[in-house]
Amino acid sequence: MLDETTLEQRLVTLERAVADLQGKSQSQSTSENWLEKLIGSVSEQAAFIKSLEYGRAFRQADQPFVQGNQEL
């Protein structure tokens, strides 16, 4: 079993780690829009746009093709 001093030291270490993580999360962009955060992280905009188009096409490939009122 752990002694009281060891537990106290672990608690202090844990509190420091939590405080560091809170500071990092608060210092990051305050934008709530996940897409804005993602766009800012991609250095080449053309590649980002192409990947968005690829993702859209991939999602639409799963959907049935509808022409008029008939599903093909």
Side-chain angles (χ1 to χ4, degrees):
M1 185 167 247
L2 298 172
D3 65 2
E4 190 173 325
T5 305
T6 303
L7 288 174
E8 287 292 326
Q9 289 172 345
R10 286 185 172 190
L11 181 59
V12 167
T13 302
L14 182 60
E15 287 173 341
R16 270 192 214 129
V18 169
D20 288 345
L21 289 172
Q22 286 175 333
K24 287 179 183 177
S25 70
Q26 290 172 357
S27 68
Q28 292 178 351
S29 173
T30 58
S31 172
E32 294 298 321
N33 186 340
W34 65 270
L35 186 56
E36 286 180 16
K37 290 180 183 178
L38 184 62
I39 289 172
S41 67
V42 177
S43 61
E44 188 179 334
Q45 187 173 359
F48 177 72
I49 299 299
K50 188 172 184 172
S51 65
L52 285 179
E53 291 170 354
Y54 175 75
R56 183 179 300 115
F58 185 76
R59 287 189 306 278
Q60 290 174 348
D62 250 0
Q63 298 174 357
F65 180 74
V66 177
Q67 184 176 17
N69 290 336
Q70 296 180 332
E71 187 175 301
L72 301 177

